Amino acid sequence: MQRLWDTLRLVRAINCGLAAAGVVVGAYMTWVEPTYLKPILAALSTMLVCAAGNAMNDLLDIRSDRMNHPERVLVTGALSKQFAKALASGSAAAALVLAVFVNIDMLVATAVAMLLLATYNLGLKNLPVAGNVVVAILGGMTFLVGGMAVDPILVWVLPGPLIPAVFAVFFHLVREIVKDAHDMEGDRVVGSSSLPLTFGVGASMTVALVLFAVLTLLTIWPVAEGWFGLYYKIIAVYVVDLPVLAILIFVWGNPTLKMLSIGSAALKVGMALGVVALLFA
């Protein structure tokens, strides 16, 4: 049981669950008539891609994680590097196999996601902005993948999964900047050039705050167009956007490690609640 728990921690099971939820929402926002098999396969494939990427990330980040995240299972030795390598490669292979049974668009998207994850883990994450953008794109892709599983053409029609994909890009970009600010000391040790290390915490948090303010305005757009209803507006704007924006303002004014952790956690909760808002859209 402990090994299972450690494995779930390694792959960031909650993050993978959120990725799968994005796929389900993307499918839901695309279908004309309910369809389940292909979206389920797409969600499982996406979870496996996420698991592979997170296992690879922890393998390559052991040195910095000794300072930033000493509780992680590869740092503590709860799981071995060999196990993590096998898990990453096995998850990636299984994701591709499942994608084959969805459609060619899903297979291509899965391969692209894996390529992006590989380039991120092997170097882009150590560059200012570039790594953050890759993670943000991957977050947005989950909704598009769900739409592709239903209809590769309708996925691009508004209103549809393209809307939450854009929201997810902004959300992930902001959270990645906040996480980089939190992990500065460990990143400095390994020679990373993250946005906070390059331009400072103050400037980075200003960028994050501006991006989230833009996101807040964007979430109102579907309501103004008459695409999304009252329940979406209440959850997205009043339960997610405004409280998270307020928290980020506090973090911007006092960017201590504790406040940065609170900001990162608030953004993760906001992502989950955002998915709920879209289900009511």
Side-chain angles (χ1 to χ4, degrees):
M1 183 61 72
Q2 184 60 46
R3 190 175 181 83
L4 174 60
W5 174 247
D6 289 336
T7 301
L8 292 175
R9 288 173 59 199
L10 173 65
V11 301
R12 320 277 207 285
I14 293 177
N15 290 358
C16 293
L18 285 173
V23 175
V24 172
V25 169
Y28 171 71
M29 296 183 73
T30 306
W31 71 34
V32 177
E33 295 182 358
T35 179
Y36 301 102
L37 179 58
K38 288 186 176 181
I40 289 172
L41 292 176
L44 291 173
S45 177
T46 300
M47 286 183 69
L48 290 167
V49 171
C50 179
N54 286 332
M56 184 191 301
N57 182 75
D58 277 17
L59 273 168
L60 297 172
D61 279 358
I62 291 177
R63 187 180 169 197
S64 62
D65 281 347
R66 288 194 176 101
M67 181 174 293
N68 292 330
H69 303 283
E71 78 287 351
R72 287 190 173 167
V73 292
L74 296 185
V75 175
T76 63
L79 294 176
S80 68
K81 294 180 183 178
Q82 290 74 19
F83 177 82
K85 289 177 183 177
L87 181 64
S89 57
S91 296
L96 287 170
V97 170
L98 287 174
V100 169
F101 290 99
V102 180
N103 53 43
I104 187 64
D105 298 84
M106 176 67 192
L107 180 60
V108 171
T110 302
V112 169
M114 289 182 179
L115 180 62
L116 287 173
L117 278 170
T119 55
Y120 169 80
N121 281 314
L122 293 174
L124 285 182
K125 65 182 175 183
N126 294 320
L127 299 177
V129 182
N132 303 141
V133 171
V134 168
V135 172
I137 291 172
L138 287 166
M141 281 181 66
T142 60
F143 295 95
L144 298 180
V145 161
M148 290 175 187
V150 174
D151 191 312
I153 296 176
L154 287 180
V155 68
W156 306 109
V157 177
L158 295 177
L162 189 58
I163 294 174
V166 172
F167 294 168
V169 168
F170 275 87
F171 232 116
H172 280 84
L173 191 53
V174 172
R175 186 163 186 263
E176 286 300 303
I177 293 172
V178 174
K179 285 169 59 183
D180 280 352
H182 179 276
D183 293 347
M184 279 181 62
E185 293 307 313
D187 291 344
R188 183 180 285 113
V189 169
V190 298
S192 174
S193 300
S194 66
L195 190 67
L197 281 172
T198 304
F199 298 103
V201 176
S204 299
M205 289 309 303
T206 298
V207 171
L209 192 57
V210 169
L211 287 173
F212 198 85
V214 172
L215 171 61
T216 300
L217 294 175
L218 286 175
T219 55
I220 300 172
W221 169 51
V223 178
E225 291 288 344
W227 293 334
F228 296 171
L230 179 61
Y231 292 124
Y232 161 84
K233 179 181 177 180
I234 291 172
I235 298 172
V237 178
Y238 299 110
V239 178
V240 178
D241 289 346
L242 296 182
V244 173
L245 184 61
I247 290 171
L248 288 177
I249 290 172
F250 281 112
V251 176
W252 173 75
N254 184 32
T256 62
L257 285 178
K258 182 177 181 180
M259 288 301 296
L260 289 165
S261 294
I262 292 172
S264 179
L267 285 161
K268 179 178 279 192
V269 172
M271 290 179 190
L273 292 174
V275 169
V276 174
L278 290 164
L279 289 174
F280 284 99

